Amino acid sequence: MATTFNLYTTLYTIVSLSLLILISFPSLATPHTTCNSTLHPSFCTSTLPSDFSGTIHDHSRFFLRQSLSTTKTFLQLISSYLKDPSSLPASTLLALQDCQVLAQLNNDFLSNTLQTISYTDILSPLQVYDFQTMLSAILTNQQTCLDGLHEVTPYPSVTTGLLSPLSDGTKLYSISLSLFTHGWVGDEANRERQLTQKNIDNVNVKEKVVVNPYGSGNFTSINDAVAAAPNNTGTNNGYFVIYVVAGIYNEYVSIAKSKQNLMIIGEGINRTIITGNRSVVDGWTTFNSATFAVVGKGFVAVNITFSQHCWIDQAPSCCC
Ligand SMILES: *[C@@H]1O[C@H](CO)[C@@H](O)[C@H](O)[C@H]1NC(C)=O
Ligand SMILES: *[C@@H]1O[C@H](CO)[C@@H](O)[C@H](O)[C@H]1NC(C)=O
Ligand SMILES: *[C@@H]1O[C@H](CO)[C@@H](O)[C@H](O)[C@H]1NC(C)=O
Ligand SMILES: *[C@@H]1O[C@H](CO)[C@@H](O)[C@H](O)[C@H]1NC(C)=O
Ligand SMILES: *[C@@H]1O[C@H](CO)[C@@H](O)[C@H](O)[C@H]1NC(C)=O
Ligand SMILES: *[C@@H]1O[C@H](CO)[C@@H](O)[C@H](O)[C@H]1NC(C)=O
C-alpha cells in the first residue's frame, strides 16, 4: 500500500514539476510590465484586461487582434462615407479613397501576420523580419492616410469623424509592433549592444547614442538624436555616432550646418529606412523634399536606406 502511495506521490510531483516548468517558460507578464515597454503605456494598460496575465506572445496576439478589429471598423466607416460620393468634394473623395486602399493593405498585413502567429510562438528569422516590416509599414500607411486628409483644403468635415479611430489605430499598431519586437525579435538591449559593437575601426568616436523608436535607446527619433549632437565641434574632434535600430522612420531629417562630424549607422540597407514626409506636391522644392538633407560637414551615413515618402498614386505599399 505504502509503496503504491509513494509511487503516486512521486508521479504527482514529477507531473507537477513538469507543468510548472512548462508554464513558467516563457515567463508570464502582467499587463503593467508589458505595457511599460511601449510608447503608449496608459493606453496599453487601459486596453489590455487587467486580469490578462499571459506571455509576451499572448499579449502581442491580443494587440494584433485589436489592431485588426479597429482596422475593420475604420474600413466600414470609410465605406459609409464613400456610399454617397457625389456629396463629397473631389479632393476629399480622393483622400478617402487613398485611406481605403491603405487600410485595406493594413487589414491584409494584420490578417496575414495573425494567421501565422495565432497558433505558434515559433517563427523563422525570415518570418520575423517579414512581419516586423509589415507592422512597421502599417504605421507608415496610417500616417500617409492622416497626412492625405490634412492636406485637403478646405478641411473636410468628414475628417473630424475619422481622427479618433485613426489615433486609436496608430496607438494599437505602435503597441503591436513594439510587443511583436519584444516577443519575437528578442532582447532589444542585446541587439543594441551588438549594433553599437559593429566595427568602426580607425574612426575617432567622441560619443555614441542609440535611436530606437520602440523603447530602450537614448532617443526615439533620429531628429532628436541629431539635435542632441554638440554644435560647432570642428571636424577634428571625433565623431558623434548615432546608431539607428531597424525600422521605418517616417521623419524628415535635416542636419544643420552647426552639426559637424556626425555618423549615422543603421542595421542594414532595407532594414533601417528613413522615409520623408513631404512631397513636391505640397509646394516644397525638390531640395527641401529630399528625405535626408545634409548640410553639415563631415557627415557619414552607413547601412541606411533613404527613401522618398511614397504617395499612394505612385506606389500603394510601404516602401519604394
Ligand atoms: C514601469 O516603468 C517605471 C518608470 O520607467 C518604473 O518605475 C516601474 O517600476 C516600471 N514598472 C514595471 C512593472 O516594470
Ligand atoms: C553594415 O552592414 C554590413 C552587412 O550587414 C556589416 O557587415 C557591417 O559591419 C555594417 N557596418 C557597420 C559600420 O555597422
Ligand atoms: C545613452 O544611453 C546609454 C545607456 O543607457 C547611457 O550610458 C548614455 O549615457 C546615454 N547617452 C546619452 C548622450 O544620453
Ligand atoms: C545647437 O544650437 C541650436 C541653435 O542655436 C540650439 O537650439 C541647440 O540647443 C544647440 N544644441 C546643443 C546640443 O548645444
Ligand atoms: C509631417 O509634415 C507635417 C506638415 O507637413 C508636420 O506637421 C508633421 O509633424 C510631419 N510629421 C513628421 C513625422 O515629420
Ligand atoms: C533593397 O530593396 C530593393 C528594392 O526592394 C532591392 O532592389 C535591393 O536589392 C535591396 N538591397 C539589399 C541590400 O537588400
Side-chain angles (χ1 to χ4, degrees), residues 205-218:
V205 175
K206 191 179 160 79
E207 198 167 353
K208 298 176 183 180
V209 292
V210 173
V211 178
N212 184 338
Y214 317 116
S216 50
N218 298 90

Side-chain angles (χ1 to χ4, degrees), residues 198-200 265-268 302-303:
K198 282 267 176 66
N199 209 0
I200 38 172
I265 301 180
E267 274 196 277
V302 189
N303 284 347

Side-chain angles (χ1 to χ4, degrees), residues 12 20 29 34 39 51 136 152 194 205 224 245 256-257 285 296 315:
Y12 180 74
L20 263 179
T34 292
L39 285 181
D51 57 354
S136 305
V152 177
Q194 286 176 358
V205 175
D224 289 348
V245 304
K257 267 208 240 9
T285 65

Side-chain angles (χ1 to χ4, degrees), residues 30 32-34 36:
T30 66
H32 192 77
T33 322
T34 292
N36 228 11

